[in-house]
């Protein structure tokens, strides 16, 4: 498996998805060049892409002005991702996958920060966000180890034991693309 995950403290909780794995072939961060990203994708069958992003792709680290330095994964990488099994956990990864006809498990909008909750009109606290995002990532890790990708969206919904505005929003935003 190839991991593409910027060294962003606001998405560090997602590292639980790969920290204990022994099948990691490459770990790409914002420090890698575009050619290194392409080489890593071409050299593996499963690509896990994690962090912040949009329908345009996976972003690098957030700058102080709330903008990103670059897209680590974007439309130029699609030709290398098409025949891969992809796991994309970033805001609106499902839009990217749907537009480019990628295969795998992708998230829609996921609220991991208070400003995102405000933008989505979801009531939560910093404490709930931190606690529930850690649980979400841990449960997703367990699902990745136990279930086929196509079964994970339904299973994650079943695992929502809090059913708050935040958890309903996040647990209902996972999608499988055939």
């Amino acid at each position: 498996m190839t991991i593409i995950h910027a060294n962003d403290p606001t998405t560090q909780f997602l590292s639980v998805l790969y920290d204990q794995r022994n099948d990691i072939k490459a770990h790409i961060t914002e420090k890698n060049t575009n050619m290194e990203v392409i080489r890593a994708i071409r050299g593996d069958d499963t690509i896990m892409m994690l962090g912040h992003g949009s329908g345009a792709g996976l972003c690098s680290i957030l700058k102080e002005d709330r903008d990103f330095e670059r897209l680590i994964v974007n439309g130029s990488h699609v030709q290398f991702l098409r025949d891969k099994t992809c796991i994309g956990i970033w805001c609106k990864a499902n839009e990217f996958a749907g537009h480019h006809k990628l295969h795998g498990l992708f998230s829609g909008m996921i609220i991991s920060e208070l400003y995102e909750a405000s933008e989505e009109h979801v009531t939560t606290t910093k404490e709930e966000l931190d606690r529930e995002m850690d649980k979400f990532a841990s449960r997703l890790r367990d699902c990745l180890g136990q279930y086929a990708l196509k079964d994970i969206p339904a299973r994650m919904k079943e695992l929502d034991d809090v059913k708050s505005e935040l958890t309903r929003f996040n647990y209902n935003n996972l999608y499988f693309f055939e």
Side-chain angles (χ1 to χ4, degrees):
M1 180 179 293
T2 290
I3 306 300
I4 304 175
H5 188 194
N7 290 310
D8 179 350
T10 66
T11 66
Q12 195 56 40
F13 68 92
L14 292 171
S15 65
V16 73
L17 298 176
Y18 59 85
D19 274 346
Q20 302 291 321
R21 295 186 72 107
N22 57 8
D23 62 343
I24 306 299
K25 291 183 182 177
H27 185 168
I28 300 296
T29 70
E30 74 285 352
K31 295 177 182 172
N32 292 95
T33 67
N34 192 50
M35 279 310 298
E36 290 170 326
V37 173
I38 291 169
R39 264 189 241 112
I41 292 170
R42 292 177 87 179
D44 211 334
D45 294 327
T46 304
I47 313 299
M48 182 181 285
M49 302 164 281
L50 308 169
H52 287 293
S54 70
L58 178 66
C59 296
S60 65
I61 57 174
L62 189 64
K63 297 186 296 187
E64 286 183 29
D65 63 359
R66 300 201 89 68
D67 198 10
F68 293 91
E69 292 182 4
R70 76 177 220 248
L71 292 174
I72 299 173
V73 175
N74 58 54
S76 71
H77 299 97
V78 169
Q79 63 183 318
F80 307 108
L81 290 168
R82 276 225 172 86
D83 62 342
K84 309 296 180 179
T85 298
C86 298
I87 301 164
I89 308 299
W90 76 80
C91 290
K92 302 184 181 177
N94 63 321
E95 293 177 12
F96 182 79
H99 177 74
H100 295 293
K101 297 176 177 46
L102 298 179
H103 168 74
L105 179 69
F106 295 89
S107 67
M109 178 67 193
I110 296 290
I111 297 171
S112 63
E113 296 187 66
L114 282 175
Y115 82 89
E116 293 170 332
S118 177
E119 288 176 359
E120 296 297 326
H121 309 288
V122 171
T123 303
T124 190
T125 63
K126 176 74 170 126
E127 293 75 25
E128 180 188 29
L129 252 175
D130 292 344
R131 180 182 63 249
E132 293 305 323
M133 289 314 300
D134 286 343
K135 283 171 48 179
F136 180 88
S138 177
R139 288 170 174 167
L140 183 55
R141 177 202 58 218
D142 293 345
C143 284
L144 288 167
Q146 297 175 22
Y147 300 98
L149 292 182
K150 68 181 177 67
D151 298 327
I152 292 176
R155 182 64 184 132
M156 285 293 287
K157 287 178 192 173
E158 293 170 359
L159 291 171
D160 179 7
D161 59 343
V162 174
K163 298 193 184 345
S164 68
E165 285 184 53
L166 172 70
T167 62
R168 278 192 306 272
F169 187 95
N170 285 345
Y171 282 73
N172 284 296
N173 270 316
L174 291 173
Y175 306 91
F176 177 74
F177 291 86
E178 195 68 52

